[in-house]
Amino acid sequence: MSESKILELCKRRVSCRNYLEKPVPDEIIANCLEAARWAPSACNKQPWRFVIVKDTELRRKICKEGFLPGVPMPWAQKAPVVIALCAKTNPITHGLAPMVSGINYQYIDIGIAGEHFVLAAEEQGLSTCWIGWFKVKYVKKLLKLPSTVKPVCLLTLGYAAEPPSPVKRIPLDELVRENTWKD
Ligand SMILES: Cc1cc2nc3c(=O)[nH]c(=O)nc-3n(C[C@H](O)[C@H](O)[C@H](O)COP(=O)(O)O)c2cc1C
């Protein structure tokens, strides 16, 4: 049986850490943003905001000064586009509700929207990498974000210089149980 289109796309997407310095057409970015915009979100608050960074100097600053120590990511600077996935927080859904439920919905929402973006990029022949190991305060200041908008993750976007190698996944039988959890 042939693999479903979505499964094929999910398997094809691999973090890319080697980019060509080839610009990404605006139309492709617009398609990715449109896919992200249709993501579901808690109370349909759509807290995502996307800051597209193509400017060479801003990208250089993010990649030189904006990453946390311990995980060198020199490859990121070659990516022609960096996207700051940001959360515009709502005091009730993202402040009060998590105090009751213990679940921080904004991060779930941004994750879903971000992956919509990533899969749309993959479908159009582009590659991405999520970057969570960055200095939130530094990037917030550098991009002059208002106090209500917080960068939650970064994405690099561009054309892969070489096909990235897939990373192993935990087999399903270790990930799924019925009705309860037993190791
Ligand atoms: C929320 C999140 C944060 C991540 N942060 C980083 C990062 O800071 N640097 C990096 O090189 N990769 C980062 N990654 C990529 C993961 O290392 C990668 O997705 C994982 O190893 C699986 O590999 P694959 O994406 O190639 O399938 C991150 C991924 C996610 C989802």
Side-chain angles (χ1 to χ4, degrees), residues 13-15 17 71 73 75 129-133 153 167 169:
R13 184 226 54 86
V14 177
S15 293
R17 299 184 180 89
V71 185
M73 297 183 263
W75 49 267
C129 188
W130 287 84
I131 297 180
W133 197 239
C153 223
V167 175
R169 290 300 190 264

Side-chain angles (χ1 to χ4, degrees), residues 19-162:
Y19 292 94
L20 297 175
E21 282 169 49
K22 175 181 165 184
V24 178
D26 285 341
E27 196 197 338
I28 288 188
I29 300 177
N31 289 337
C32 296
L33 291 168
E34 186 60 8
R37 192 172 75 87
W38 283 97
S41 59
C43 298
N44 196 26
K45 288 292 176 212
Q46 305 166 55
W48 40 73
R49 298 294 182 270
F50 308 93
V51 180
I52 311 297
V53 186
K54 289 187 269 183
D55 180 86
T56 310
E57 188 53 19
L58 279 179
R59 280 191 295 113
R60 193 190 65 79
K61 282 187 174 152
I62 292 174
C63 299
K64 287 259 176 210
E65 315 286 340
F67 296 154
L68 287 164
V71 185
M73 297 183 263
W75 49 267
Q77 218 182 308
K78 268 177 75 187
V81 186
V82 173
I83 298 110
L85 297 174
C86 303
K88 185 170 164 121
T89 47
N90 172 282
I92 294 173
T93 310
H94 309 122
L96 209 59
M99 282 197 244
V100 178
S101 68
I103 301 165
N104 218 323
Y105 301 105
Q106 57 181 318
Y107 299 117
I108 300 174
D109 299 345
I110 304 300
I112 299 169
E115 195 60 9
H116 277 207
F117 185 110
V118 161
L119 291 176
E122 186 66 46
E123 195 191 28
Q124 296 174 94
L126 273 103
S127 295
T128 54
C129 188
W130 287 84
I131 297 180
W133 197 239
F134 73 101
K135 298 175 188 165
V136 172
K137 278 188 192 162
Y138 177 88
V139 170
K140 187 177 163 86
K141 198 171 167 194
L142 179 72
L143 301 180
K144 300 187 172 78
L145 303 179
S147 61
T148 49
V149 175
K150 177 189 172 182
V152 167
C153 223
L154 304 174
L155 288 175
T156 49
L157 173 71
Y159 292 94
E162 54 182 355

